[in-house]
Structure formats: structure tokens, C-alpha cells
Amino acid sequence: MPEIDHLRAYAALIILLYHGLQLIGSPIIYGRSFDSSVPWPQPNNPLMLLIVEGHSAVSLFIVLSGFILSVGVLDKTIDYGRFILARVLRIYPLMMLCLMLAVATTGSDLLAFLNSALPIDPRNQISSPFVAMFWAVKVEFQCYLLFPALLWLLSHHGPRALLAIIGLMLVLRVIAVFGADANPRDLSYWTLAGRIDQFVIGMLAASLYKRWGKEQISGWFFPVAFGVAITMLFVFNRFGGWPNQSPWRVVFPPIEGAVWASVILSYLSAGQVLMRIRVGAMLTWLGSISYSAYLLHFVVISAVINHKWWIELTGRGDWDAIITTLLVVFPVVTMLAVLTYRIIEKPFMAMRPRYAQPRMNVGARFNREKDTVKRKPAVSG
């Protein structure tokens, strides 16, 4: 499904531009954007709006993960141990390289190393750009740990079971905010309690896709779905954007996930147009190295900031930050990602075991067991 790689490439590019705008433009505006006393930017330009609220691309990644894992195994059973091993081989080799570099450059102790390595606490005790993006990978891995159980619920009890989980998590977030004084933004953004909704929505999208097929989902729906996504981000931005800590943030994750799920489903048809031209192949290639780019882009941006390698063409911090990100950061990140993908990711990906097998019904299982008994040799004596 090359269209999935396209969406990975788009999400990685949005996050790259988001951090570039936010950090490289820091001498003027964006470095203080996490300070609630500084107004969050409210652009009218749809492209700039997508970049200012580019954190939403993390939600797109998580919905994609639920979709990708589910679409090929909805009618199969999963070996839990093999599945987790496959996930570890997929994400941990590059993570461990980044973590070792972080430890080597900061002199962190064993406790900080273990905290950053284990997918328990998304927060890192190591202050290094090499591990800045670990939090999202850890949350995704927590979703992986639950995936076989979620798949069993979907297979045996249907979509209603997963919808019930979304409802339950919504209630629990409300209780956490009003009963345990949790921060609505941080709870919904940084933790499994806020992100599991989006992973489950990705699984539900895969169920719809398997039921409908690519042919029944019109590619013409993609502009509508993307327009809804931009509208969602516009409203979110006008209500305060990422810094907003109002209680309504606990409701936003499933809304955001459903909108991105509609974009994914519609793009699976619309993206086939790009596969007829060279752009499609390029996007597929960029999507294949998106994980490396995701983990490594923050340290490249940090190097640009530390050495003041930004480009000043327009005199505006926002546009100069975007130009610098595209002309300086993006090429360097791409070259690094190509190397780490080929040298680290790809060899370990080839070692992943097969963890899914077709699910047999009761009659087929009985017939197989009966054939086994027939073939069993007689025991003398």
C-alpha cells in the first residue's frame, strides 16, 4: 500500500516544519510559544495553519499505526510473543542508537538510561535532542502491547467493543481532570490515556476498509476530508491552539483521530493518481525512511539553532524558519535517514518473525485434528 507511505511522508514533513517553525524562529516569536503569556500564532493561511498546529501529525501517525497493524490481520490470529518481538525489532535498534548517543553526550546515569529505554514513562530523564521524540514512540509501543487484546475484541465482539473503549477512556479522562487535578492538555497529548482513542480509531478504519474495499471509497472524497481536517485545526487554533489547557481538551483526541481516519481512507484511493507519476515513487521512498527522519530531525534543528545556520531572506521569523527548514534541515535529515534506514532499520526489519496466521473455524480445526489422529502411527505393545 504505497499510499500509506505517502501519508507517512506527509506526517513526517509536517512535524519537521512544525518544529522548525517553532524553534528556528525562536529569536523572534516561536521559541517562547510554550509560555502561556505569549499568544499562540493564529494564521489565516491554511498552509501556515497546518504547520502551526503541526503537532496534530502525531495523531495522524498513531491512527496510521492502528490502521496498518489491523488491515492485514483482521481475519487472523496473532502470536503475542512474536508480535512484540517484531515490534521491538522494528523500532528499538534506532532508538537504542539515539539513546546511546544521548548518554554519551550528557553523561546520564543508569536510571535515566532505563527510564528512557523502557516504554513505561513517556517523559525522558535525559535532556538531549537525540531523545526528544521518544515520548511518541513509547506511547505507540504501549498501544502495541494492547493491540492483540484489542484485535480479539474487534474480531469477537465487533466495532461496538472498540467504541466502548473510546467512551470509557473519555470518561476516565474526565474523572482524572476533575477528580485527580490532571492537566487536560498533557493527559490528552502526552499519554496513552489520550492516545489510545486514536489508535483504536485506526483499527476501526481498517475494519471499514476491509469491509468496503478501496474501490468503494471515492478518491473525490479526499479534498472534502482534508478540508474538514483544516477546518478542525482552524477551530482548534482559534480556541487557543496547543497551549490551551481547558477541560474540553479531553474530548479532542477521538475527534482528531476520526478526522485523520477519514483522510487516510479517502487518500488510499486518491493517492493512486500520484503513483502514475514520479512524485508517487518519491513519496513512497520518503515514507519508508520517515521513522528515521522522525527520530533524527530534532537534533539537526538543534544544530542549526546552536550555530545560527538559519536563513534570513524575508525578515519575518516564521517564513525564514520555514525556508531554513526546507533548504537546510530537510536535506540533512533526509541524508541521515537514508543512512540509518539502510544500515540499522532495514537489517533488523528483515529479522522480524511472522506473527499472524489464518484463523480457523471450529469445523476446520476439528477436521485438522481428526486428520492428525488418522496419521498418528499405531503404538505396539
Side-chain angles (χ1 to χ4, degrees):
M1 300 175 69
E3 296 83 11
I4 292 295
D5 282 324
H6 295 183
L7 290 166
R8 282 184 177 136
Y10 298 143
L13 181 59
I14 291 171
I15 291 175
L16 177 69
L17 290 170
Y18 169 68
H19 285 136
L21 174 65
Q22 194 177 70
L23 301 173
I24 297 175
S26 61
I28 299 177
I29 299 174
Y30 291 93
R32 302 189 305 274
S33 58
F34 284 94
D35 183 351
S36 59
S37 64
V38 178
W40 186 253
Q42 293 185 338
N44 292 317
N45 184 318
L47 176 61
M48 185 64 75
L49 175 69
L50 183 62
I51 298 173
V52 167
E53 302 297 349
H55 54 83
S56 189
V58 175
S59 302
L60 174 57
F61 266 127
I62 292 178
V63 177
L64 269 173
S65 293
F67 179 89
I68 294 167
L69 288 179
S70 302
V71 75
V73 298
L74 284 173
D75 55 348
K76 299 177 182 178
T77 56
I78 287 182
D79 183 303
Y80 188 81
R82 286 174 169 265
F83 170 75
I84 296 301
L85 177 59
R87 295 297 92 204
V88 169
L89 290 171
R90 176 65 184 92
I91 69 173
Y92 260 88
L94 184 58
M95 275 187 67
M96 294 307 297
L97 173 64
C98 292
L99 181 54
M100 287 187 289
L101 288 170
V103 170
T105 54
T106 60
S108 301
D109 57 20
L110 178 62
L111 182 61
F113 177 87
L114 292 176
N115 175 269
S116 299
L118 297 175
I120 300 172
D121 186 355
R123 296 169 297 180
N124 295 311
Q125 294 184 9
I126 300 177
S127 179
S128 169
F130 280 109
V131 299
M133 304 311 301
F134 274 26
W135 73 269
V137 181
K138 289 183 180 182
V139 170
E140 279 211 33
F141 197 87
Q142 292 169 10
C143 292
Y144 299 157
L145 293 174
L146 297 175
F147 173 69
L150 295 172
L151 183 66
W152 185 89
L153 286 173
L154 179 60
S155 301
H156 290 78
H157 299 282
R160 289 184 181 181
L162 297 191
L163 291 173
I165 289 177
I166 295 173
L168 172 63
M169 296 310 301
L170 178 58
V171 171
L172 291 177
R173 288 197 297 271
V174 171
I175 292 174
V177 169
F178 291 100
D181 200 28
N183 184 304
R185 178 197 65 195
D186 294 348
L187 180 67
S188 301
Y189 187 82
W190 301 105
T191 71
L192 177 69
R195 295 295 187 175
I196 190 65
D197 300 32
Q198 297 170 347
F199 186 83
V200 165
I201 287 172
M203 296 180 64
L204 291 171
S207 180
L208 288 176
Y209 178 78
K210 293 288 285 187
R211 182 180 304 175
W212 294 343
K214 186 182 296 187
E215 294 75 16
Q216 296 188 37
I217 305 174
S218 173
W220 291 106
F221 182 65
F222 173 71
V224 177
F226 186 72
V228 171
I230 293 295
T231 302
M232 173 192 69
L233 294 178
F234 178 84
V235 174
F236 178 84
N237 178 263
R238 290 311 189 262
F239 272 90
W242 191 90
N244 191 294
Q245 300 180 21
S246 300
W248 62 261
R249 289 292 295 267
V250 301
V251 185
F252 189 62
I255 296 173
E256 189 179 27
V259 170
W260 286 125
S262 67
V263 170
I264 293 169
L265 288 173
S266 57
Y267 187 81
L268 291 176
S269 295
Q272 296 180 73
V273 176
L274 295 179
M275 292 308 299
R276 302 169 188 168
I277 56 179
R278 187 170 297 179
V279 175
M282 183 179 299
L283 287 171
T284 302
W285 175 74
L286 287 173
S288 68
I289 62 172
S290 60
Y291 178 61
S292 285
Y294 184 78
L295 284 186
L296 296 170
H297 78 275
F298 212 91
V299 71
V300 176
I301 291 175
S302 296
V304 170
I305 295 171
N306 293 339
H307 296 278
K308 299 181 180 180
W309 290 334
W310 54 70
I311 299 172
E312 296 179 339
L313 291 179
T314 67
R316 287 186 52 177
D318 51 1
W319 285 108
D320 285 345
I322 292 175
I323 292 170
T324 302
T325 304
L326 290 174
L327 298 184
V328 179
V329 178
F330 177 73
V332 175
V333 168
T334 301
M335 288 188 290
L336 281 176
V338 169
L339 290 174
T340 54
Y341 174 77
R342 292 183 177 179
I343 298 173
I344 300 173
E345 284 191 73
K346 197 171 181 180
F348 281 98
M349 287 169 63
M351 296 167 59
R352 291 178 298 176
R354 301 182 68 89
Y355 55 80
Q357 59 183 0
R359 185 183 300 116
M360 292 187 298
N361 56 35
V362 177
R365 187 182 301 112
F366 174 78
N367 290 333
R368 192 179 74 169
E369 292 174 353
K370 185 171 64 174
D371 291 342
T372 302
V373 171
K374 287 181 178 180
R375 290 194 299 268
K376 187 176 180 179
V379 179
S380 61

